[in-house]
Amino acid sequence: MPLALVPEPPPTLADTIAAPLPPGGLLATQVTADDVACLWISPASLRPVLASLKARAGSLLMLFDLTAIDERERTHRDGQPEGAFTVVYHLLSLSRREDEVRIKVALPAHDPALPSICDLWPNANWYEREVWDLFGIRFDRHPFLRRILTPPTWTGHPLRRDHHARATEMPPYSLTEDHEQAEQEAMRFDPSVWGMKRHSEHSDFLFLNLGPNHPSVHGVFRIVLQLEGERIVDAVPDIGFHHRGAEKMGERQSWHTYIPYTDRVDYLGGVMNNFPYVMAVETLAGITVPPRAQMIRIMLAELFRIASHLVFYGTMAQDVGQLSPVFYMFTDRERVFSLIEAICGFRMHPAWFRIGGVAMDLPNGWDRLVRAFIDDLPARLDEYDAMVMRNPIFRARTKGVGAYTTSDAVEWGVTGPGLRATGLAWDYRRHAPYGGYDQLDFDIPTGECGDCYDRVAVHVAEIRQSLRIIRQCVDNMPAGPVKADHPLTTPPPKARTMHDIETLIHHFLSVSWGPVIPPGEARCCIEATKGVNAYSLISDGGTTSYRTRIRTPSFAHLQMIPQLCPGIMIADLIAILGSIDFVMADVDR
Amino acid sequence: MTRASLALVVLGPFALLGLATVLTWVERRLLGLWQDRHGPNRVGPGGLFQPVADGTKILFKQDWIPPFADRSVFILAPVIGMMTVLLSFGVIPLTDTLWIAGNLNVGLLFILGMMGLGVYAVVLAGWASNSKYALLGGMRAAAQMISYEVFMGLSLLGVVMLAGSFNLRTIVSAQAGLWFIVPQGLGFCVFLLAGLAETHRLPFDLPEGENELGAGFHTEYSGMKFGMFFIAEYAGIVLISALIATLYLGGWRGPWLAPALWFALKTGVVVVFFILLRAALPRLRYDQLMALGWKVLLPLSLLNVMATATVLMLRATP
């Protein structure tokens, strides 16, 4: 009798991980609230495992995130191997959702160190520097293991649990003249330290310090250029000027009061930043968001995507010297903001999402306002197409400039429009639909050659797709509550507080201390304005997060800039910076 | 020299400076209009006194010379910039009988010479500032202005051939029947672009290129020395516009209105067109600018010279 062939799903990367491991290499598997495969391996087997994963998964395996956890004060670590620090490698497969895997390595308290994986994934470079800077974990054979977010003169490693979190925990600060001199001296640029030569065979190079104060670096980004005439020989970016310790603040604020901090990470994204954070908390707490709240969230997130893309569009035109578009686009952005203000009562940083839903229901007449806007914008976008996208000088400045391939993009962890411009139709809203995006219909715009022009074109097309999504939200807005009926939502449900004392006590504690989120780990990703933004939260069963990790798209995007630099002119670099779409707060956090 | 003409020589430059100052306001208001915003509208009626306020402020600024700069050259550079533009105006006929300095029978050559000298202002400023951004701006300026000068001169040859003179008054008189913009359309276009490049206005404002170089060659300048560059730039726009009006648009000629008014009107239209270009266009890249100059505009201006000469010869042979 012929056997009925039941097609078995092919094994995931995590299933096959044991194959190259030496005996005792796989220490444990951990179940997390977000259902991503999570494996603990020994430090010695780290490089073989990662190398074999990369070899087997093909070119679409991205080193999505690399970070660390200080485990020394954590109480809920059931089944996890002993260790003072944990380094987490997060691999994302763009081709198959199930192939996502998180690999953890436990390290001792004294002189924690691991081999560097910069040769496997080039984007590990900055992530390893960040872990060194903030946790003091060494990476052997790293090409340039220096502080990246804190100043070179900093002492201590800020994300260790024993490092102070606020200025009030330190003695009063005073800046003596000697100290100032020393700080200034530490900033001095020495080409040889940064891996650049002073001379070639024929000429001396000019070193140009572009930023951190420069009109075209979009904030406080510094990039040191090695120039021969106006051609760039090499470039070294320097970040950290906008570092505000957002992750450290997450360990101090209650789950609820951290929401406004997220708004300011990608400060053009507004509530888009709340999205992954509240979803991660909801995953930990097991809260299901009601449909109306989901739709409201999506609508607002897409409005902010439009606002952010309009800023991008205008400043990009500005960066190649076109003075006027930015004014028109900021005018449209004002209209988006007046919409957002009408709904949330705040413009740029509404902090309007709540754990379990949104802060309030939509105001009366909201649909009329939104409809007026989405009916009006397409005609204006057509005008901008004629003014910017079809302008021959703009095309001459951006076509063929700063191009990279899909495989380059994946190697460097590039997501968002920068990835889609290379021709890969990959969008996290499609890859792993979250928060209700599976009910909506939209296209994924792509480019062809991944140059500056394509990146702008993808952004513009995405504005139109966002309009389409918003229209579906308006047309199909479900009725019902805007916040889940769950004791851990914030602010907590109040309806029955005046009926029994037990509910009143819980309500009082939840309001004054904040909700106690059950212990666990969860990571939530979204397709933010600039790429994939993710919040990884660890709860130790308290009113604050034990560890808040913010993986931002801009960080990865900036890291690849030097790859595009050799041989281009300064003006091209400015066009590239404009087309990459980053904000420094999103890089430095 | 009569007393009247002496007064003109003394007062003319001041009038020009005043005009250039007002032009800063005109440009900002027009840009505001085209960019859906107000522009300066607070000082005086419609913001008309804004240039006065700006001028006063700039006069009271600290006269700062960076310690690393080459002092004497640093001071000399803006003076050269201002002088060359003002001197050029001397020979432009405002009407049939009115000049600031006088009718010069190689007037056009004189103006081209002055423009050539004007390059020094930018190059010396970039060099004397002893700063990297200024140096890059100065380098760009030198390359740009020297290459655009070549076919600026060439594009004018057609006009000179038609009029048979370098004298600006003769050139205007020769346009009695037909403005030169018609037979010299190609030359006009080339001259317009070269003029934009000479005054380093968008899309050719690479020596300044604020998105790339901060402020380019005048990054280190402040106070009145910056003010001189600033005003010289606007005076330069008026100069190029006046030249276009003179060479291609029939100068002071026109029915009904007073000749001086016609001249002012034509110059004004060209100035506004310059401002409109600034509102509309992005900036070229340095190598694209050079390629456009040498590969497109230079052959075109040569072609223009050849075509004009051919037509003239055919007409001359019976």
Side-chain angles (χ1 to χ4, degrees):
Chain A
M1 201 178 91
L3 282 168
L5 281 174
V6 178
E8 284 223 353
T12 65
L13 272 186
D15 293 339
T16 62
I17 203 163
L21 278 176
L26 181 67
L27 303 176
T29 54
Q30 183 188 346
V31 179
T32 53
D34 55 11
D35 288 334
V36 173
C38 183
L39 308 162
W40 288 81
I41 59 175
S42 62
S45 48
L46 173 72
R47 278 184 57 89
V49 165
L50 289 179
S52 97
L53 281 180
K54 187 168 187 197
R56 273 179 298 148
S59 63
L60 289 180
L61 188 68
M62 179 184 279
L63 176 67
F64 178 68
D65 197 6
L66 194 172
T67 187
I69 305 160
D70 182 349
E71 307 275 13
R72 290 175 298 178
E73 293 175 13
R74 194 167 163 195
T75 46
H76 295 90
R77 297 193 67 225
D78 313 328
Q80 298 180 25
E82 282 301 309
F85 294 98
T86 306
V87 177
V88 186
Y89 296 81
H90 198 123
L91 303 177
L92 186 68
S93 167
L94 305 195
S95 46
R96 206 155 71 105
R97 192 184 164 188
E98 296 76 30
D99 282 352
E100 189 171 354
V101 58
R102 196 182 287 137
I103 291 168
K104 290 187 172 183
V105 184
L107 293 173
H110 178 68
D111 191 25
L114 274 177
S116 165
I117 58 159
C118 288
D119 50 334
L120 294 175
W121 277 280
N123 66 333
N125 190 317
W126 277 18
Y127 286 114
E128 288 178 353
R129 280 178 69 187
E130 188 188 347
V131 171
W132 157 247
D133 187 1
L134 302 181
F135 287 93
I137 297 170
R138 253 186 324 106
F139 290 90
D140 297 330
R141 289 193 301 281
H142 187 286
F144 192 66
L145 194 65
R146 276 162 196 274
R147 290 191 180 271
I148 185 167
L149 293 179
T150 57
T153 51
W154 195 264
T155 47
H157 301 283
L159 278 185
R160 288 191 171 192
R161 298 291 292 189
D162 46 13
H163 190 281
H164 52 261
R166 353 183 42 150
T168 46
E169 295 168 36
M170 295 191 284
Y173 183 76
S174 67
L175 186 65
T176 61
E177 202 164 310
D178 291 345
H179 188 190
E180 188 183 349
Q181 284 293 328
E183 291 280 344
Q184 295 276 344
E185 200 54 39
M187 301 272 285
R188 185 183 291 281
F189 168 69
D190 180 1
S192 54
V193 172
W194 291 47
M196 296 197 231
K197 285 200 201 105
R198 283 184 184 274
H199 324 274
S200 72
E201 270 176 47
H202 312 291
S203 55
D204 292 348
F205 294 122
L206 174 75
F207 292 96
L208 186 68
N209 185 27
L210 200 88
N213 294 313
H214 186 279
S216 294
V217 292
H218 297 229
V220 280
F221 172 51
R222 177 187 184 201
I223 182 163
V224 178
L225 305 176
Q226 180 181 16
L227 296 174
E228 193 162 21
E230 266 208 37
R231 292 215 174 268
I232 298 172
V233 180
D234 197 2
V236 179
D238 183 18
I239 63 169
F241 299 95
H242 211 309
H243 182 59
R244 302 176 291 190
E247 293 182 8
K248 188 80 176 174
M249 288 182 208
E251 299 170 13
R252 181 187 84 204
Q253 299 295 325
S254 76
W255 297 100
H256 175 62
T257 57
Y258 189 62
I259 295 175
Y261 287 89
T262 64
D263 276 50
R264 287 147 180 87
V265 170
D266 167 12
Y267 52 74
L268 297 178
V271 300
M272 186 76 98
N273 297 284
N274 305 160
F275 215 148
Y277 174 71
V278 294
M279 281 203 308
V281 180
E282 285 154 7
T283 312
L284 283 173
I287 299 171
T288 314
V289 180
R292 185 172 173 87
Q294 281 193 335
M295 238 1 105
I296 296 175
R297 281 182 178 183
I298 289 177
M299 186 175 79
L300 279 164
E302 294 301 326
L303 279 173
F304 265 106
R305 190 187 309 279
I306 293 175
S308 169
H309 279 15
L310 282 172
V311 174
F312 161 83
Y313 200 4
T315 51
M316 174 68 199
Q318 172 97 333
D319 283 343
V320 297
Q322 209 168 11
L323 292 180
S324 298
V326 70
F327 290 102
Y328 308 136
M329 290 150 189
F330 268 63
T331 309
D332 289 336
R333 179 172 174 253
E334 280 306 305
R335 295 192 59 196
V336 182
F337 278 155
S338 56
L339 259 181
I340 290 167
E341 192 182 8
I343 294 172
C344 311
F346 215 96
R347 286 153 47 85
M348 273 185 82
H349 305 131
W352 205 59
F353 290 5
R354 293 289 179 271
I355 299 168
V358 293
M360 262 179 272
D361 203 352
L362 296 166
N364 288 335
W366 66 276
D367 51 336
R368 215 177 53 242
L369 284 179
V370 177
R371 261 185 230 283
F373 173 72
I374 56 179
D375 286 343
D376 198 45
L377 193 62
R380 310 254 310 179
L381 287 176
D382 292 341
E383 263 184 65
Y384 305 153
D385 277 348
M387 185 168 53
V388 180
M389 301 307 285
R390 291 204 292 276
N391 183 309
I393 300 179
F394 183 83
R395 294 171 86 102
R397 284 292 308 277
T398 52
K399 285 228 169 201
V401 174
Y404 51 81
T405 63
T406 307
S407 60
D408 286 341
V410 177
E411 286 283 284
W412 285 94
V414 173
T415 51
L419 173 63
R420 293 188 279 276
T422 64
L424 184 71
W426 191 88
D427 188 313
Y428 205 83
R429 291 172 290 178
R430 246 327 129 60
H431 177 75
Y434 56 88
Y437 271 107
D438 47 344
Q439 306 159 38
L440 295 161
D441 188 27
F442 62 96
D443 295 331
I444 304 175
T446 55
E448 278 153 23
C449 42
D451 55 9
C452 291
Y453 185 84
D454 280 356
R455 286 195 281 277
V456 185
V458 167
H459 276 90
V460 176
E462 284 186 15
I463 298 180
R464 293 180 192 277
Q465 293 303 322
S466 289
L467 288 173
R468 206 172 136 194
I469 294 174
I470 295 171
R471 190 177 294 282
Q472 294 171 51
C473 293
V474 180
D475 290 342
N476 307 307
M477 182 62 72
V482 293
K483 205 146 100 356
D485 186 21
H486 190 287
L488 292 179
T489 58
T490 57
K494 203 179 175 181
R496 294 183 52 245
T497 46
M498 292 301 157
H499 298 284
D500 60 278
I501 185 67
E502 200 58 30
T503 322
L504 184 63
I505 291 171
H506 273 287
H507 182 265
F508 180 75
L509 291 179
S510 279
V511 169
S512 48
W513 291 349
V516 174
I517 301 294
E521 299 180 19
R523 188 288 327 263
C524 278
C525 289
I526 62 152
E527 185 71 36
T529 57
K530 292 158 180 63
V532 177
N533 186 8
Y535 276 72
S536 308
L537 301 178
I538 297 177
S539 172
D540 203 23
T543 53
T544 62
S545 147
Y546 182 82
R547 167 95 174 98
T548 305
R549 163 67 182 167
I550 312 171
R551 190 274 181 196
T552 54
S554 302
F555 186 82
H557 296 172
L558 277 203
Q559 189 178 182
M560 88 167 299
I561 289 176
Q563 300 306 306
L564 309 173
C565 278
I568 63 171
M569 323 242 339
I570 296 177
D572 290 333
L573 175 69
I574 303 301
I576 291 173
L577 290 180
S579 72
I580 275 181
D581 191 13
F582 60 90
V583 295
M584 286 314 290
D586 198 39
V587 178
D588 295 339
R589 287 152 284 136
Chain B
M1 194 179 252
T2 64
R3 195 175 293 167
S5 64
L6 194 67
L8 209 59
V9 169
V10 175
L11 296 180
F14 284 101
L16 268 172
L17 291 182
L19 191 68
T21 321
V22 173
L23 192 56
T24 61
W25 171 79
V26 172
E27 165 153 51
R28 289 167 68 187
R29 281 310 299 254
L30 281 178
L31 283 180
L33 181 74
W34 287 319
Q35 291 170 348
D36 293 348
R37 58 190 179 87
H38 291 296
N41 65 350
R42 295 292 135 137
V43 195
L48 188 60
F49 298 150
Q50 183 70 40
V52 182
D54 288 345
T56 319
K57 185 195 89 170
I58 229 166
L59 270 175
F60 282 100
K61 285 246 172 180
Q62 185 189 7
D63 189 33
W64 161 255
I65 297 173
F68 45 80
D70 181 340
R71 245 187 115 77
S72 48
V73 183
F74 189 82
I75 297 170
L76 189 64
V79 178
I80 296 178
M82 189 68 110
M83 290 310 288
T84 52
V85 176
L86 289 183
L87 283 174
S88 309
F89 271 108
V91 298
I92 291 184
L94 307 180
T95 71
D96 196 10
T97 52
L98 185 66
W99 290 265
I100 290 176
N103 189 11
L104 198 64
N105 56 13
V106 286
L108 196 54
L109 279 185
F110 176 77
I111 289 177
L112 284 178
M114 279 297 140
M115 283 184 170
L117 282 179
V119 183
Y120 281 100
V122 179
V123 175
L124 291 181
W127 182 251
S129 298
N130 212 354
S131 122
K132 291 171 180 174
Y133 285 108
L135 178 68
L136 286 171
M139 261 165 38
R140 284 178 171 192
Q144 169 176 337
M145 293 173 84
I146 287 168
S147 24
Y148 274 66
E149 213 132 87
V150 173
F151 44 85
M152 180 178 228
L154 280 175
S155 65
L156 290 180
L157 272 187
V159 170
V160 173
M161 275 190 267
L162 288 182
S165 171
F166 280 110
N167 186 322
L168 289 169
R169 183 176 169 224
T170 320
I171 290 175
V172 177
S173 303
Q175 301 178 61
L178 187 66
W179 290 358
F180 280 163
I181 188 172
V182 181
Q184 284 296 314
L186 187 60
F188 168 76
C189 292
V190 175
F191 181 76
L192 186 73
L193 289 177
L196 277 172
E198 280 295 311
T199 49
H200 29 92
R201 294 278 297 175
L202 266 170
F204 302 116
D205 68 337
L206 283 86
E208 286 152 53
E210 76 268 15
N211 305 91
E212 294 146 28
L213 301 182
F217 68 89
H218 61 66
T219 306
E220 303 294 337
Y221 280 86
S222 64
M224 205 51 220
K225 285 198 280 296
F226 162 74
M228 282 168 83
F229 274 124
F230 192 59
I231 295 303
E233 184 187 323
Y234 282 89
I237 299 164
V238 181
L239 175 68
I240 292 288
S241 309
L243 263 184
I244 288 174
T246 307
L247 298 171
Y248 294 101
L249 304 177
W252 66 82
R253 298 187 154 277
W256 309 307
L257 298 177
L261 214 54
W262 266 117
F263 179 74
L265 201 65
K266 289 172 185 173
T267 308
V269 169
V270 182
V271 167
V272 171
F273 178 69
F274 270 48
I275 298 173
L276 181 60
L277 282 183
R278 179 167 179 215
L281 293 180
R283 179 184 306 119
L284 286 168
R285 199 173 56 209
Y286 176 63
D287 56 325
Q288 292 167 340
L289 175 95
M290 299 305 267
L292 175 74
W294 291 104
K295 291 179 188 164
V296 181
L297 294 180
L298 181 66
L300 277 183
S301 55
L302 286 172
L303 186 74
N304 183 50
V305 172
M306 280 199 325
T308 313
T310 316
V311 171
L312 282 179
M313 269 182 54
L314 288 178
R315 226 190 263 164
T317 44

